[in-house]
Amino acid sequence: MRKEDTGAGHNPHHHSHSHKSCVSLVPIFNHLEEEQMNEITKTIHSINYKKSETVYHAGEQSDSLFIVNKGKIRVYRLSESGKEQLVRILMPGDFTGELALFTETTYVSFAEAMVETSVCRIKRTDFQNLLLQYPTISLKVLTEFSKRLAQSEKQSMRFATEKVETRIALFLAECFDSENQTDTIELPMSKKDLASYLGTTPETISRKFTELEAQGLIEQKTHKLIKVLDLDGLLLN
Amino acid sequence: MRKEDTGAGHNPHHHSHSHKSCVSLVPIFNHLEEEQMNEITKTIHSINYKKSETVYHAGEQSDSLFIVNKGKIRVYRLSESGKEQLVRILMPGDFTGELALFTETTYVSFAEAMVETSVCRIKRTDFQNLLLQYPTISLKVLTEFSKRLAQSEKQSMRFATEKVETRIALFLAECFDSENQTDTIELPMSKKDLASYLGTTPETISRKFTELEAQGLIEQKTHKLIKVLDLDGLLLN
DNA sequence: CGGGGAGTTGATGTCACTCAATTGGGGTGG
DNA sequence: CCACCCCAATTGAGTGACATCAACTCCCCG
């Protein structure tokens, strides 16, 4: 456990001067001056994970923020009754562990590398010092927090008020919006994970996709590739 | 609309020197020095609302943070398909409008006074200046954000993975925890609102309460007062 | 005292989960 | 490079949880 503390098995082969590229990749910091960057660079550690390795797990003592540099991380939770829910998938530039920094003393979710992944790790105290020293970073982080909060509340409301079919349609519509060059979207996760993310089962996902296809709203090119034929039709449901 | 801009109908009878009590009530600020307090006091406006008056509504141009000074505010949303969900109830010291400050330019939720209510209003630019000037406030706000995020993600996960009965039981358990002097809890809202908050219907709430009572887990003293007879029983469900 | 909304109770319908069997596809080792 | 294997994905049948609709009661407040 907590392999990242020792670095064992993760090839933490970065040397401190090679952190720079990591820091500059992070949206939270990318408005800063060279000199400030260098200071920050001193406080972070770069860690690599192989596919399906654990970044952290619920219950573990938490004292760090993780920022994805390269790769993908799957963040999920276990509910009171033991069922798993996919919370989000982190792409480069995204961060996790933020609750750890301010409220909780242990992680409440699980994070696992989906592919070969490299992250920057910043300790709680170092990060808090950065915030006090560079107030503009706080604004960036606050902005990021508020985005995430908005996202979470939206998701929450959909669970509370929309049926599965609508949640799926809304999800597809959002994927469509972010892939603004083409009408074919690539699902960012397996249908199993999608089911977990949308609070349903793989069976239901499968059936609803077939229904949407029968209605002429989408076309399933492959398991991962979906062509959207009628966006409005999806939404006015 | 936007009555708070003019103050019409809200008796904004506070004078600037009387804001102080308002500011000192706000957890975000209550670690500051007298002098800093006074500076903040200049930037805020106090507004009163009568029962069921609108504080803001979705779609309205947003440029302010609202902090509850006295009273209760009901925050709710309308989903894509037009159904209402109760997001939270603000008590003194709580704030809302935060998304407005960082991400959205319009409010996404509705806020309405449940009783005679008094709030402090801070404009976006003033608030951002405060954050840059007093980095410790940022930490407070970040902490508050992360709490709310944790709460929202927890709620979201419960919608995704737990059935109605469990969500009710968990809600009761949390009420129980916060009223740590007695085994009788007072529901913080009507059962209608509770249904909306928990993503179900008043009918189901009613039935489940009866079931829980039949199982000997709770006792309904009145519509608002619930005596918890077997907390563990509630939770291990 | 009367009105109206909150709360309750019953009957019915349906959406989506569960369980089970089968197919499909991607990755690994021989 | 191919075959196998495993897990994802699909499809079907049955069930159950919860929403809906409707009728009624209970308070709370004017």
Side-chain angles (χ1 to χ4, degrees), chain A residues 80-81 88 152-153 162, chain B residues 81 88 152-153 158 162:
Chain A
E80 279 86 353
S81 63
R88 77 178 68 88
S152 175
E153 288 190 347
E162 312 286 11
Chain B
S81 63
R88 77 178 68 90
S152 175
E153 288 190 346
R158 287 181 183 172
E162 312 286 13

Side-chain angles (χ1 to χ4, degrees), chain B residues 221-237:
Chain B
K221 311 293 258 189
T222 73
H223 285 173
K224 276 265 173 350
L225 287 179
I226 309 290
K227 184 171 181 181
V228 176
L229 301 174
D230 182 359
L231 183 61
D232 295 334
L234 268 180
L235 293 175
L236 64 75
N237 186 330

Side-chain angles (χ1 to χ4, degrees), chain B residues 131-148:
Chain B
L131 292 180
L132 291 174
Q133 206 171 344
Y134 306 113
T136 53
I137 299 181
S138 289
L139 282 189
K140 287 264 186 179
V141 176
L142 277 165
T143 302
E144 189 58 35
F145 266 42
S146 74
K147 269 186 208 158
R148 195 169 290 180

